[in-house]
């Protein structure tokens, strides 16, 4: 398996623009997680899905952030409008819903908002 | 979730064993100890987990004290590629649930 695939790997955009980050989980995994990592706040869980259904979005910072999982093989995290403080590395992870909390992370998407 | 306490940083010589401690004195009976690591600029990577028995896999060994209030992750022969931030997380074994990362321990393996 190719692992969790995220795109783009790097994105530089200007304040106010819409940003869409994409994630393809490991085939057969039915839980998907979006994390954000900054120097100041470390790794923060933004939202997670079980069987394509959002379970906990309490970590989503504000209404500018939204996440969707239209099917088992694809998820998006959208920021509209983007702000400089959204600059961070965004990680997607997936896991099997049965068994232990073993998450497989993608390589991350590094977002820079100017 | 039980709170964990880890040293901020540790150093280890290449080829020697790296022993990373974690305190989790408020752990509940049904909570597991998980270890992940994050090599610079990469996503976190699962290492090992356990409930009360010691565990070993190809990456590391996990030693949990009898009272389960602390644990130690052991990398038996550390290499330069083991330089990373190591996270100790305590969580019930309910997959598909949130996993919260603390600040972890920055392990630096020196040549």
């Amino acid at each position: 398996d190719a692992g969790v695939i995220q795109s783009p790997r790097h994105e530089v955009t200007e304040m106010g623009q819409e940003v869409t980050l994409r994630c393809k989980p490991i085939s057969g995994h039915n839980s998907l997680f979006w994390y954000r990592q900054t120097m100041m706040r470390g790794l923060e869980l933004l939202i997670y899905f079980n069987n394509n259904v959002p379970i906990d979005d309490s970590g989503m910072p504000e209404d500018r952030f939204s996440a969707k999982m239209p099917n088992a093989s694809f998820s998006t995290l959208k920021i509209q409008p983007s702000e400089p403080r959204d600059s961070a590395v965004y990680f997607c992870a997936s896991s099997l819903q049965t068994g232990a909390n073993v998450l497989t992370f993608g390589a991350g998407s590094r977002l820079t908002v100017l | 979730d039980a709170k964990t306490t880890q040293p901020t940083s540790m150093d280890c010589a290449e080829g020697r064993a790296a022993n990373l401690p974690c305190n989790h004195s408020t752990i509940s009976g049904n909570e597991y100890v998980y270890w992940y690591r994050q090599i610079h600029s990469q996503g976190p990577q699962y290492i090992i987990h356990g409930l009360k028995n010691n565990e070993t896999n190809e990456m590391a060994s996990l030693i949990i004290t009898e009272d389960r209030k602390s644990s130690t992750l052991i990398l038996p022969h550390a290499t330069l590629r083991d330089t990373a931030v190591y996270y100790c997380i305590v969580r019930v074994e309910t997959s598909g649930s949130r996993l919260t990362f603390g600040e972890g321990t920055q392990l630096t393996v020196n040549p």
Side-chain angles (χ1 to χ4, degrees), chain A residues 23-93:
Chain A
C23 176
K24 177 179 169 55
I26 290 175
S27 177
H29 282 191
N30 45 16
S31 292
L32 183 138
F33 305 78
W34 281 102
Y35 284 84
R36 176 173 70 175
Q37 186 170 36
T38 61
M39 289 292 293
M40 291 294 293
R41 301 176 68 90
L43 264 168
E44 303 175 275
L45 177 64
L46 300 178
I47 185 171
Y48 74 93
F49 298 81
N50 286 345
N51 296 315
N52 314 336
V53 176
I55 302 301
D56 184 352
D57 65 355
S58 61
M60 296 286 265
E62 48 197 275
D63 293 344
R64 297 185 298 106
F65 285 69
S66 63
K68 294 182 179 180
M69 192 163 186
N71 57 62
S73 59
F74 184 65
S75 176
T76 59
L77 178 67
K78 187 173 294 187
I79 308 172
Q80 167 64 21
S82 58
E83 296 183 2
R85 60 190 167 128
D86 302 331
S87 297
V89 181
Y90 292 80
F91 289 104
C92 176

Side-chain angles (χ1 to χ4, degrees), chain A residues 35 37 50 56 97 101 103, chain B residues 36 38 92 95-96 98-99:
Chain A
Y35 284 84
Q37 186 170 36
N50 286 345
D56 184 352
Q97 197 171 350
N101 286 299
L103 275 61
Chain B
Y36 281 74
Q38 185 174 23
V92 295
S95 60
R98 61 186 307 124
L99 207 61

Side-chain angles (χ1 to χ4, degrees), chain B residues 25-82:
Chain B
S25 58
T26 61
I27 192 170
S28 300
N30 62 344
E31 288 182 313
Y32 284 67
V33 180
Y34 289 82
W35 283 86
Y36 281 74
R37 74 179 182 183
Q38 185 174 23
I39 296 170
H40 183 61
S41 298
Q42 297 182 21
Q45 176 190 27
Y46 165 81
I47 301 173
I48 198 168
H49 76 285
L51 181 63
K52 52 184 177 182
N53 297 321
N54 298 337
E55 302 287 345
T56 296
N57 63 20
E58 65 279 3
M59 291 183 68
S61 295
L62 173 61
I63 308 297
I64 302 174
T65 58
E66 192 167 341
D67 64 6
R68 304 210 321 122
K69 293 184 177 181
S70 66
S71 60
T72 301
L73 179 74
I74 301 172
L75 309 179
H77 305 286
T79 70
L80 299 180
R81 289 174 295 180
D82 292 321

Side-chain angles (χ1 to χ4, degrees), chain B residues 11-18 77-80 108-111:
Chain B
D11 284 277
C12 177
E14 188 177 19
R16 306 297 287 267
H77 305 286
T79 70
L80 299 180
T108 302
V109 181
N110 300 304

